[in-house]
Amino acid sequence: MEKISRRYFILTAVLLLTSAVVYFLSYDTFYKADAAVESIKKIPLQLGQWKGHDVALDKRVYDILETRAIINRNYVSNGRSVFLSLVYYPETKVDFHAPEACLSGRGVQVSKSPQSIVINYRGRKVKIGVNQLIRRHNSSDVLYLYFYKAGKFVGRDYLKLRMNLAWNKFFSTRRSGSLIRVSTPIIGGSQEKASKLLANFIQDLYPYLLRYL
């Protein structure tokens, strides 16, 4: 009987501890919404030679993503366009929606592969791991690159994102998490040119990601 009581006590303690950790790591819907929106507003419409304009989103998108801190913006430079989709959470959130799930549909093919890009930042080379998506529908192909940011972590690895979010929750004042996705049409079948265009755009965007997210 004593052994059963001891096991019951241990099980109860573990359950209480787990509940406390989950509660501490949880994210309240629209928590610090105003501050989060103000943070992403600091990412300018003018990025180098890129000039952007915001594209309206349906209210349901904000409800699904559980944050109002979203950038949905088209940038244009020298006749080429890049679409920036950025989702920002000011406090720890460990369940991001996979971009590839949003791109699929009837008659649509989406292929995914891990890639790396190299950008220049303050006179040094910075390597960023990204997830590459190619969306094919009829005769229209679009190239997507996306990655995550949480504190000092910038990259494609979702497991590392979760680990950094949890770590930052306990040991850092920077507890935000972001998903950054950029896309551009593949013109004339030249995926290489499209990829280079996106890398150049990310290079112009990168300093603002470090500063404000």
Side-chain angles (χ1 to χ4, degrees):
M1 185 69 179
E2 183 179 350
K3 289 184 178 180
I4 295 176
S5 298
R6 185 180 301 173
R7 289 176 182 174
Y8 177 78
F9 175 78
I10 293 174
L11 178 61
T12 302
V14 170
L15 290 174
L16 288 174
L17 179 60
T18 302
S19 299
V21 171
V22 170
Y23 175 80
F24 187 70
L25 291 177
S26 65
Y27 175 90
D28 292 329
T29 302
F30 301 146
Y31 181 64
K32 294 185 177 179
D34 293 339
V37 171
E38 288 303 313
S39 291
I40 65 166
K41 278 185 177 179
K42 295 176 182 177
I43 296 177
L45 290 170
Q46 180 88 36
L47 292 172
Q49 296 183 348
W50 297 94
K51 294 182 179 180
H53 70 273
D54 290 317
V55 179
L57 278 171
D58 191 287
K59 182 182 180 297
R60 289 175 297 178
V61 176
Y62 296 102
D63 294 336
I64 292 171
L65 297 179
E66 300 181 60
T67 179
R68 300 198 180 280
I70 300 174
I71 289 179
N72 198 54
R73 185 178 292 169
N74 191 58
Y75 285 88
V76 177
S77 175
N78 296 321
R80 293 298 304 269
S81 66
V82 169
F83 204 95
L84 169 64
S85 299
L86 189 153
V87 182
Y88 174 76
Y89 297 97
E91 287 284 335
T92 300
K93 184 177 177 69
V94 294
D95 52 335
F96 283 79
H97 293 258
E100 50 267 38
C102 303
L103 301 175
S104 59
R106 187 174 182 180
V108 177
Q109 294 181 339
V110 178
S111 59
K112 178 181 177 180
S113 61
Q115 302 290 336
S116 295
I117 61 172
V118 178
I119 64 172
N120 293 309
Y121 177 66
R122 293 184 175 179
R124 61 185 178 89
K125 301 288 186 181
V126 177
K127 186 177 181 180
I128 303 175
V130 298
N131 289 307
Q132 176 182 281
L133 303 175
I134 299 177
R135 185 180 188 273
R136 296 184 172 91
H137 180 56
N138 296 328
S139 58
S140 176
D141 293 350
V142 180
L143 178 67
Y144 295 80
L145 300 179
Y146 76 87
F147 55 97
Y148 305 99
K149 183 182 185 302
K152 294 182 179 180
F153 168 73
V154 179
R156 65 171 175 262
D157 194 312
Y158 187 66
L159 178 59
K160 288 183 180 180
L161 169 75
R162 292 173 64 101
M163 292 173 63
N164 276 272
L165 287 173
W167 175 268
N168 293 341
K169 184 69 174 181
F170 286 104
F171 302 109
S172 175
T173 57
R174 299 189 66 180
R175 301 172 179 176
S176 62
S178 305
L179 183 151
I180 302 98
R181 189 189 77 186
V182 294
S183 61
T184 192
I186 299 175
I187 298 176
S190 181
Q191 181 181 326
E192 183 179 351
K193 287 184 179 179
S195 181
K196 185 177 181 179
L197 185 75
L198 293 182
N200 290 338
F201 178 83
I202 292 172
Q203 179 171 278
D204 289 336
L205 176 67
Y206 187 73
Y208 299 98
L209 300 181
L210 297 186
R211 190 179 307 170
Y212 300 123
L213 302 187

